[in-house]
């Protein structure tokens, strides 16, 4: 057992999907833990179950067996409302596609989750502007997503994901839609942010160069999460 408590822990998790008459086993007896400040790459082929794992870790899906602990709290069996609450406070998500709200500016997109959580517009706007500056898209804060490049959209999506200062950042191929050079720059920004803020991150990626820059790499093998 490690001396520090993990910020995220999957314990003997099982997840199966129905497939015709039978079932498709994605995870079985799968365990994983993420230490504070740790940045871990999840590298596995398409269809292996990376998104499923991230959805379980982010409390968007429930495990069929086992439990998921976020910041030490057992979350696998909580109600939807309780899981939403934990997700809002502790977890940030970045997807392959930005999922920004098209009718709002970059700044407003980053303000939104903070205001949902109860911050005033002034406080949310101040933090949003700081984050966009830090991620080097401050000069685009009044633009809508359609007026931003792919790399800029992902920087804004990263700012939004960390707007509420989560404990854990989960990212599903965050640079997967970008050309290699832009992917490198966006990952630089993401890594700097994670390192500087002491966040913990689990990042699914196909990009072995980016995976090599993280503290540890895991993959899915035989429905388990194993070190790579
Ligand atoms: P990855 O992210 O590694 O590409 P996924 O987690 O998306 O993998 O999917 C793993 C497997 O589970 C795939 O074979 C996929 O078709 C299947 N799958 C994912 N979600 C569902 C679902 N809701 N119902 C049935 N099968 C699913």
């Amino acid at each position: 057992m490690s001396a520090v408590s993990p910020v995220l822990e999957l314990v003997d998790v099982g997840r199966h999907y129905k497939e015709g008459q039978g079932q498709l086993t994605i995870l079985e007896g799968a365990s994983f833990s993420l230490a504070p400040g740790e940045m871990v790459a999840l590298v596995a082929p398409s269809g292996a179950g990376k998104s499923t794992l991230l959805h379980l870790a982010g409390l968007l899906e429930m495990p069929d067996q086992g439990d998921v602990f976020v910041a030490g709290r057992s979350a696998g069996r909580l109600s939807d409302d309780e899981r939403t609450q934990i997700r809002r406070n502790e977890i940030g998500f970045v997807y392959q596609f930005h999922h920004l709200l098209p009718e709002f500016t970059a700044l407003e997109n980053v303000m939104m989750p903070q205001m949902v959580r109860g911050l005033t517009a002034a406080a949310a706007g101040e933090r949003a502007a700081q984050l966009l500056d830090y991620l080097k898209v401050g000069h685009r804060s009044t633009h809508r997503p359609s007026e931003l490049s792919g790399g800029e959209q992902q920087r804004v999506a990263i700012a939004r994901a960390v707007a509420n200062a989560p404990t854990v950042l989960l990212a599903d191929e965050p640079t997967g839609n970008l050309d290699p050079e832009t992917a490198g720059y966006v990952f630089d920004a993401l890594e700097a942010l994670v390192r500087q803020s002491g966040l913990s991150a689990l990042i699914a990626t196909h990009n072995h160069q980016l995976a090599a820059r993280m503290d540890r790499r895991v993959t899915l093998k035989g429905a388990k999460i194993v070190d790579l």
Side-chain angles (χ1 to χ4, degrees):
M1 222 171 115
S2 73
V4 279
S5 314
V7 288
L8 170 70
E9 201 172 14
L10 274 69
V11 179
D12 282 334
V13 162
R15 185 75 177 113
H16 321 273
Y17 293 119
K18 279 209 180 69
E19 189 185 46
Q21 304 289 48
Q23 69 170 13
L24 181 66
T25 294
I26 307 297
L27 296 171
E28 190 157 84
S31 296
F32 169 76
S33 90
L34 185 67
E38 200 178 26
M39 205 171 177
V40 177
L42 171 59
V43 187
S46 194
K50 298 184 298 298
S51 301
T52 302
L53 169 54
L54 290 170
H55 289 167
L56 287 165
L59 313 183
L60 291 165
E61 283 188 40
M62 305 261 254
D64 300 315
Q65 293 97 34
D67 203 353
V68 178
F69 295 82
V70 178
R73 182 163 175 209
S74 162
R77 300 283 170 276
L78 296 177
S79 68
D80 281 356
D81 282 353
E82 288 170 309
R83 283 184 293 138
T84 300
Q85 194 66 34
I86 297 180
R87 196 180 316 122
R88 207 174 269 162
N89 293 333
E90 308 285 357
I91 295 167
F93 263 103
V94 183
Y95 298 92
Q96 182 170 3
F97 182 71
H98 60 79
H99 292 300
L100 296 169
L101 297 172
E103 66 275 35
F104 293 98
T105 65
L107 189 81
E108 288 163 346
N109 267 281
V110 183
M111 289 169 67
M112 207 83 67
Q114 302 178 73
M115 292 177 70
V116 167
R117 209 179 155 189
L119 257 70
T120 63
E126 193 176 328
R127 174 155 171 88
Q130 280 170 359
L131 282 168
L132 291 173
D133 276 346
Y134 185 85
L135 288 160
K136 301 196 174 74
V137 282
H139 57 304
R140 293 281 182 270
S141 49
T142 60
H143 291 234
R144 294 186 180 186
S146 63
E147 300 159 348
L148 301 173
S149 71
E152 288 168 346
Q153 289 168 344
Q154 281 306 74
R155 288 169 194 265
V156 177
I158 293 165
R160 180 188 51 182
V162 301
N164 283 334
T167 317
V168 180
L169 183 71
L170 300 171
D172 199 350
E173 306 270 3
T175 61
N177 265 334
L178 306 175
D179 65 78
E181 194 181 350
T182 307
Y185 289 132
V186 170
F187 189 80
D188 288 346
L190 174 65
E191 186 179 23
L193 182 73
V194 169
R195 300 293 187 200
Q196 216 220 348
S197 59
L199 252 174
S200 307
L202 177 61
I203 302 177
T205 181
H206 274 121
N207 186 322
H208 287 272
Q209 269 180 322
L210 299 185
R213 287 166 55 177
M214 298 190 220
D215 301 321
R216 197 153 64 82
R217 285 141 292 283
V218 296
T219 190
L220 295 163
K221 203 172 198 175
K224 307 252 191 281
I225 303 158
V226 297
D227 286 337
L228 197 63

